[in-house]
Amino acid sequence: MRNTRPTPAFLVGAAIVALIAATALLSFFFTPFDPLQVNAPARLQGPSLQHWLGTDNLGRDLLSRILVGARITLLVGVVSVGIAVLIGTPVGIWAGMRRGAVEEITMRGADILLAFPALLLAIMFAAIYGASTVSAMAAIGLASVPGFARVARAGTLQVMNAEYVLAARAAAQRPVRIAARHVLPNITGMLLIQCSVTFALAVLAEAALSFLGLGTPPPVPSWGRMLQESQQYWGTFPAMALWPGLAIASAVMGFNLLGDGLRDWLDPKLGRGKA
Amino acid sequence: MSQGNEIQEEPLLRVENLGITAGDTPLVTELSFSMASGERIGLIGESGSGKSLTATALLGLLPDELTPSGSAHLRGFAPDLFTAGDKAMRGLRGDEISMVFQEPLSALNPLMKIGAQVAEVMLVHRTVPTRAAAQRRAIELLASVKIPDPAQAAGAYPHQLSGGQRQRVMIAMALANDPQLLLADEPTTALDVTVQSQVLELISAQVRERGTGLLFITHDLAVVANMCTRVLVLNKGRLVESGDIEKIFTAPAHPYTRALLAASDISATDARGRLFTVDTAAGYVPPALRTEVAKGPAAGAPERSVRPAGEALITATNLDRTYHRARTRAFGPRPVVKALDDVSFSIAAGERVGIVGESGSGKSTLLRILAGLDAPSTGSAVVAGTEVAGAREADLAPLRRQLQIVFQDPMGSLDPRMKVSDIIAEPLLVPGQKLDARGREAAVHQMLGLVGLEPESASRYPHQFSGGQRQRISIARALVNRPSILVADEPVSALDVSVRAQVLNLIADLVDEYALTLLMVSHDLSVVRHLCERVIVMKDGRIVESGDTEQIYNDPVHPYTAQLVASSLDLARELAPNP
Amino acid sequence: MLVRIAGNLARFVLSLLAATLAVFALMRVLPGDPAAIAAGENATPEVVAGLAKQFGTDRPLPVQYWDWFSGLWRGDFGVSYVTRTDISPLVADKVQVSLILVTLAMALALAIAIPAGTIAAVRHNKPSGAVIAAASQLGIAVPGFLLGIVLVSFFALRLGWLPANGWVAPGVDFAGFLARLVLPVIALAGVQSAILVRYVRSAVLEVMHEDYLRTARAKGLSPLGALVRHGLRNAAIPVLTVTSVQFSALIIGAVVIERVFVIPGLGSMLLSAVGNRDLLTVQSVVMVLVAITLVVNLLVDVLYTIVDPRIRAAAQGER
């Protein structure tokens, strides 16, 4: 039987994710300073009442930049996970229901795409189209498709082998109807888990890409780029790297915890042994 | 009581006030019994009775979250088994107390050779001097449990042996160090009928030869009658009755025992020709006391309403179904497995036909082909006027209206995310069905009443029901659009005995009421014998024999059928006075 | 067993073929004619045509693909459109650096994860197990380049124990080679070991619930003895799968780590080629990275066949 209460991991993860979402929303209406406002005299300051997290090498307010940076993180995550869900899920269900050559070809295709991790694909896209948020989202989304296709297919195979689907077929239910009434509801839990895991990976990939200077171009602040800009000051002023680093780590952890919590909550058997 | 001389001797095993709790929930309560050396005791109960936990507790292997109370003493071992501690218990396990488990495939390490797994138990307890000696002894043991070519088997991995052979390996392993006590937890439940009887015989012979005490756990009364001298009946963790087999099975004192016995005895029927259930057990007469004892059709066969044989409703002609295995050689042909091999038969409207066979006989494949869920490789199957072979989904629509199916697994056959009302109404949601929402609701309620479920059930989800109730829901779904053919794939094999009788009665009632043609697949000859007037016996994808059920049961022609009949443990036959 | 390995090999070759097609389509077909890119925006059509003739990009695409593909087979990646130098010797040079980094990091990650994950599983309801599980949860959230930054700031820049970056060939100065290797390898291995700990832990927990472990206990083996003799090899199978998947993550992680530590490997080569819009070099390096991933997958598939007799038998069609 399913647990009726969410696990602590789920609650903590949900809280972190909600906090980041709230941060990104808040930044549209209010930031302590203009995140792009250069203020040379106030450069490389530690935390103060005025600048809660201090300032960077150009005197820009770190807190404001972190707040605004959450937007890119969430935007890239939402869009790339969206691309992956919308392409991967139907393909996986189709493969799992049709079997045969359809399954063989799509799954081999997924295997090959798996040899291209999100970051590698994003670097290739940056080489072709130049660094941009759009090419980052497209690359990360595309690279996440096989994950969803595999999860959806595995779940579909499980459901299609269940006797209740045989019963539905014996009752003359059409494939589309079986997919909608039996398959999709029964694999939604797995897909949700995959969503949060993929989101965490997208956050990581985006941060790495920005760190390499191939993500969202300046001046828009992003956490990865803030890390890159801090490179010269790692020895002398580590706070400049600390805050964006913490932001990235907590976002990744939030989505990971959310995924684990969902796993334990929705399917205790699946989650057995996960922290 | 005939236990006068056993009292002087110190018992082999003495269990006093065994209790097992999970937190505050009692799972086993105040269980006391003792076993003389060499005695064979059956521990009987339905699922959730705590019978397996009892054995696990004696071995000291209860999961951490369960705690035993009370005491248990094994002769020659001073400390109490429940408090001895893991280190002391380790010396006993596999040496003085051994266990055979239910599922031999998962109980053996898949990555380790058979011989090494048998040898290990001797090396752990240092009952052999060297590794080589252990290996030699392992091969001897494999020979003693009658595994063909034991030397080769010792070098094989578990997946390379059959189910019966794996269980023989488990037995060899359990008996390697000549234990005083053997615990057997449903050791034959996962096996085919003919294999089951061989394995039971083996356990029985080995235990008698070595004078090993046997605690045999099972849900199957016929098996206990065959194996044991004394029986303990467990219900919801409590011992309700214990005593010699003859006493318990002829004059059960406790109503639960009587109900269990009545429901298990599929050869006994009430005045209406229905099986006894928990409710009607009072009218049950144990077989040994019956005047006409289990010979001839009168005792077993229920009265069947004779219906005029209609025209052929199902006709199968030369059905073949082949599957391809993975290639063995890079360019060779792929090995072919014949699931069905030249199967032909016909069934008239209104007939009740059983298909009997063991695993791999092709019986389920046949059923799925007839239901239009699988396609034959060659041959033809015409069901209710529809040719199934080569049919596309659209062509099968008439068949789908005429034929419905009930599956084995009461968990897996209902979508866990759908309400019962939606599950039952599903067959009504097809093109051509004109019922509106209210009409469907009325139909659902009518069906719920028919299968004996409350109207409130409609708004619940499957996991809120017991196995028997779920099977009733399956039956309701199958009959909601009034098919003429009901196909059932092992409909009761996953159910407890007391529930089994109720579900079989329900099927019998509905088949009569709706004049259904029934096609039922089962591994259990007695279930088919009760419900069907005609039987088709299958082996390795072929029909070996078919005809009138009673005739085949009493006078089988094919040797395999004869073996099947002889291997089927039947309560009435086990308890019949030996001629 | 040999049939199975032959099958693995065939699948590997097919995947490699498909990967070359995918890379060629992405890098050569999508962006347009490299001659136009190399010539710059204001070039006359004659200049572009001349360059196209020189690069060979005026020929039909299938011919160009075949040319590139057959070159790959001989280890010849062609001449860069931007730097006009041979790509192959560079790749051969840099691939060694990257492989040293990645292999050491994977070895370190496994050396940490296998014992830690096993302990976390065995003590899953004791504090020590929970601490390991929590630490791995934290570790997963810290990307390799972030860990690298932390390590550099602290051990190199603050304490001055180790060089902050750079690379020396082992033949030139072995001690210096090792010293420069420590931080990047730890940075790369950190996340990987955190991820692997989770999988080892859940694989071991899984086998701890298996019936055959209960059988082993019923034979009289101690909990630890049963786990070591019967559990670990079974637990290794799912861990192998994850290791092969994680290897590709490690390879791409190394690209970023090379940037943090200024290491002249494939990653640095790739990034500078991206910066120069040197698409043929990007194409070559990507192909090498993907090929390494596929080779590792092949090796793991072969390992499976050796570890698991059931897979061996499946290829032989039962018995």
Side-chain angles (χ1 to χ4, degrees), chain A:
Chain A
M1 289 307 99
R2 265 179 285 164
N3 289 343
T4 42
R5 289 156 143 268
T7 57
F10 176 82
L11 294 175
V12 173
I16 296 176
V17 170
L19 182 71
I20 293 168
T23 303
L25 277 180
L26 176 75
S27 74
F28 283 104
F29 307 106
F30 169 77
T31 50
F33 288 85
D34 179 351
L36 307 181
Q37 179 63 55
V38 176
N39 182 5
R43 63 197 294 271
L44 298 179
Q45 284 184 357
S48 64
L49 271 181
Q50 205 182 4
H51 298 283
W52 288 7
L53 302 183
T55 57
D56 70 2
N57 56 328
L58 300 176
R60 295 174 296 194
D61 181 50
L62 279 174
L63 177 60
S64 304
R65 290 179 68 75
I66 295 276
L67 293 181
V68 175
R71 292 183 203 164
I72 287 292
T73 301
L74 286 184
L75 177 70
V76 172
V78 167
V79 174
S80 51
V81 169
I83 292 172
V85 176
L86 290 180
I87 300 176
T89 308
V91 167
I93 292 179
W94 190 47
M97 288 182 72
R98 280 297 296 276
R99 311 298 311 267
V102 168
E103 182 183 26
E104 187 67 19
I105 291 169
T106 48
M107 287 303 119
R108 281 290 86 77
D111 282 351
I112 288 157
L113 202 50
L114 271 182
F116 296 86
L119 190 53
L120 184 63
L121 212 55
I123 291 174
M124 289 165 75
F125 275 37
I128 301 165
Y129 302 111
S132 78
T133 316
V134 173
S135 74
M137 294 188 297
I140 296 171
L142 190 60
S144 309
V145 167
F148 277 92
R150 284 181 148 200
V151 167
R153 170 178 157 272
T156 304
L157 285 182
Q158 222 175 347
V159 173
M160 290 304 283
N161 281 327
E163 287 179 342
Y164 57 80
V165 168
L166 285 179
R169 287 175 55 203
Q173 300 293 325
R174 292 184 179 146
V176 174
R177 204 185 174 89
I178 290 178
R181 275 172 67 93
H182 294 290
V183 176
L184 203 55
N186 277 293
I187 66 172
T188 304
M190 297 183 201
L191 291 175
L192 274 178
I193 295 165
Q194 182 69 12
C195 276
S196 44
V197 172
T198 307
F199 207 113
L201 290 173
V203 170
L204 271 177
E206 192 280 328
L209 202 61
S210 300
F211 174 76
L212 297 176
L214 299 174
T216 305
V220 181
S222 73
W223 296 342
R225 178 168 287 278
M226 290 170 73
L227 273 181
Q228 184 209 22
E229 287 161 351
S230 75
Q231 186 149 16
Q232 291 178 332
Y233 306 95
W234 290 346
T236 49
F237 190 67
M240 202 176 144
L242 176 70
W243 301 117
L246 270 181
I248 293 167
S250 47
V252 174
M253 187 152 77
F255 284 102
N256 274 336
L257 285 175
L258 197 63
D260 287 355
L262 277 175
R263 204 191 311 260
D264 293 343
W265 185 21
L266 297 177
D267 189 352
K269 263 200 322 256
L270 247 181
R272 188 172 73 192
K274 296 279 157 64

Side-chain angles (χ1 to χ4, degrees), chain B residues 52-304:
Chain B
S52 293
L53 287 177
T54 303
T56 320
L58 289 175
L59 213 52
L61 288 179
L62 279 179
D64 291 343
E65 57 272 19
L66 302 184
T67 39
S69 59
S71 69
H73 289 276
L74 186 75
R75 188 166 57 206
F77 184 70
D80 172 7
L81 297 181
F82 298 148
T83 56
D86 193 62
K87 195 144 187 233
M89 287 304 288
R90 249 181 264 159
L92 287 187
R93 289 183 208 130
D95 196 17
E96 295 296 337
I97 308 178
S98 285
M99 187 148 170
V100 177
F101 300 97
Q102 175 171 350
E103 185 42 78
L105 180 57
S106 60
L108 289 165
N109 183 346
L111 304 186
M112 199 168 168
K113 287 180 180 167
I114 295 293
Q117 298 197 47
V118 178
E120 185 180 35
V121 70
M122 294 175 275
L123 291 167
V124 168
H125 294 285
R126 302 211 175 80
T127 49
V128 286
T130 63
R131 198 161 282 274
Q135 191 67 27
R136 271 198 307 279
R137 179 90 184 100
I139 294 174
E140 286 169 29
L141 281 162
L142 291 176
S144 77
V145 295
K146 304 205 176 59
I147 286 186
D149 200 349
Q152 198 201 342
Y157 290 96
H159 70 268
Q160 295 170 309
L161 303 184
S162 69
Q165 287 174 335
R166 282 180 212 130
Q167 199 58 298
R168 286 167 192 272
V169 170
M170 286 299 293
I171 294 166
M173 209 145 85
L175 296 175
N177 293 328
D178 259 325
Q180 295 189 60
L181 174 60
L182 178 67
L183 310 170
D185 186 1
E186 304 260 14
T188 56
T189 309
L191 304 178
D192 276 330
V193 187
T194 51
V195 180
Q196 157 165 326
S197 70
Q198 292 162 9
V199 169
L200 289 177
E201 226 164 80
L202 174 71
I203 295 179
S204 193
Q206 293 276 340
V207 171
R208 281 173 213 236
E209 188 185 310
R210 293 159 193 258
T212 315
L214 174 70
L215 187 64
F216 195 97
I217 294 157
T218 184
H219 67 283
D220 190 334
L221 273 69
V223 170
V224 167
N226 174 283
M227 290 293 289
C228 302
T229 52
R230 208 145 65 81
V231 61
L232 310 169
V233 183
L234 232 56
N235 181 27
K236 296 184 181 130
R238 282 179 183 277
L239 183 65
V240 295
E241 193 167 0
S242 71
D244 292 340
I245 294 277
E246 290 91 75
K247 178 183 153 271
I248 298 279
F249 282 22
T250 51
H254 196 280
Y256 177 76
T257 316
R258 175 174 282 271
L260 204 57
L261 201 59
S264 305
D265 189 353
I266 216 160
S267 68
T269 48
D270 63 15
R272 284 180 53 241
R274 297 292 181 249
L275 296 170
F276 288 99
T277 65
V278 176
D279 300 328
T280 60
Y284 170 71
V285 181
L289 304 183
R290 263 181 253 151
T291 39
E292 353 78 299
V293 167
K295 193 79 172 130
E303 293 249 337
R304 292 197 186 93

